[in-house]
Amino acid sequence: FFFFFFFFQAEDGIRDAQESRGLGDVYKRQVSTQSTGFMRSAMLRNLSSRFPAGIRAMASKAKKADQAVEVPVKLHGLDGRYATSIYRVAAGNGTVAAVEKDLAVLKSTAATSRALQELIGNPSIPQKAKSEAVDALNKKSGFDKSTQNLLSLLAENNRLSELENIADKYEELLRAARGQVFAEVTVAEKLSKAQTSSLEKSLGSFLEKGQTLTMSVKTDPTILGGLVVEIGDKHVDLSIISRITKLQNELGQAI
């Protein structure tokens, strides 16, 4: 259904709209559209100038929603803030799983669809054209309203390139909420089943009561041997290349 992305190629010459108002407007839009349905960004800007009291009321409601939803883990960076924002809204609406599914579909489609890759990653496409393409996508996708609003905001702010990172951060929030701890392990060569099982058992020592482990293993021959583990907020580098680098640094200092 992504055929409609190609229409934006005819939009060359449309002026880029200014990027804007920051994440405070995430909540203005989310709370507003829960009751009134989706409004295009130009309409919202027009309303904000004519009815500032109404916009302040939306912001007040958004602040209350922000306080009501507890986030399982604090994320940093722009993608983390967007992910936290949509998590809070989805949690407040009871649509966390629906948004999870939507973001998974977008992420998998971005890996295979050239049109979506262009929409997300091509900085030469005017902002207005991207917003119109997202409007078309929202009408045909069947995505949850929170997902639609996120896409519209990213297009408006020229931040669609952050979409995949936001999806990853959203998954991180969900794992934390479910008591799941994600571990990414890098090895030089593919592990046997016995080695994988032994590694999972060893990583289990990092878990607290009630937590479960989700492990992903990837190969990278450049580490030469050993392994590198990212689990939660911990980084453990037991690779041979890191040992060699450390030894070289020590020898250099000694000389």
Side-chain angles (χ1 to χ4, degrees), residues 118-167:
E118 283 288 303
L119 178 67
I120 291 174
N122 189 342
S124 66
I125 298 173
Q127 178 272 329
K128 185 176 180 181
K130 287 190 176 186
S131 291
E132 291 176 352
V134 165
D135 286 350
L137 169 61
N138 284 338
K139 290 176 182 177
K140 293 181 178 291
S141 66
F143 288 153
D144 182 79
K145 186 61 68 175
S146 296
T147 307
Q148 293 184 30
N149 291 338
L150 173 67
L151 292 173
S152 297
L153 183 71
L154 292 176
E156 179 185 340
N157 288 350
N158 263 329
R159 294 294 186 183
L160 283 171
S161 59
E162 296 286 342
L163 180 59
E164 292 183 70
N165 292 334
I166 292 169

Side-chain angles (χ1 to χ4, degrees), residues 131-249:
S131 291
E132 291 176 352
V134 165
D135 286 350
L137 169 61
N138 284 338
K139 290 176 182 177
K140 293 181 178 291
S141 66
F143 288 153
D144 182 79
K145 186 61 68 175
S146 296
T147 307
Q148 293 184 30
N149 291 338
L150 173 67
L151 292 173
S152 297
L153 183 71
L154 292 176
E156 179 185 340
N157 288 350
N158 263 329
R159 294 294 186 183
L160 283 171
S161 59
E162 296 286 342
L163 180 59
E164 292 183 70
N165 292 334
I166 292 169
D168 289 339
K169 292 290 187 178
Y170 187 81
E171 280 298 316
E172 185 177 339
L173 285 169
L174 294 190
R175 285 193 297 267
R178 295 165 181 166
Q180 299 172 340
V181 176
F182 179 72
E184 183 177 76
V185 181
T186 304
V187 294
E189 297 179 353
K190 186 176 179 179
L191 299 179
S192 66
K193 289 184 178 179
Q195 289 172 323
T196 301
S197 178
S198 177
L199 181 58
E200 286 180 335
K201 186 176 180 179
S202 297
L203 292 177
S205 63
F206 287 93
L207 304 181
E208 298 177 1
K209 186 177 180 180
Q211 292 182 329
T212 58
L213 178 69
T214 302
M215 186 176 75
S216 171
V217 181
K218 65 179 183 180
T219 58
D220 180 3
T222 64
I223 71 171
L224 302 181
L227 50 84
V228 179
V229 179
E230 299 276 356
I231 180 168
D233 58 355
K234 299 178 178 65
H235 175 84
V236 182
D237 190 345
L238 301 176
S239 66
I240 290 178
I241 188 63
S242 69
R243 296 177 186 177
I244 292 174
T245 301
K246 182 178 179 181
L247 179 60
Q248 289 174 335
N249 290 338

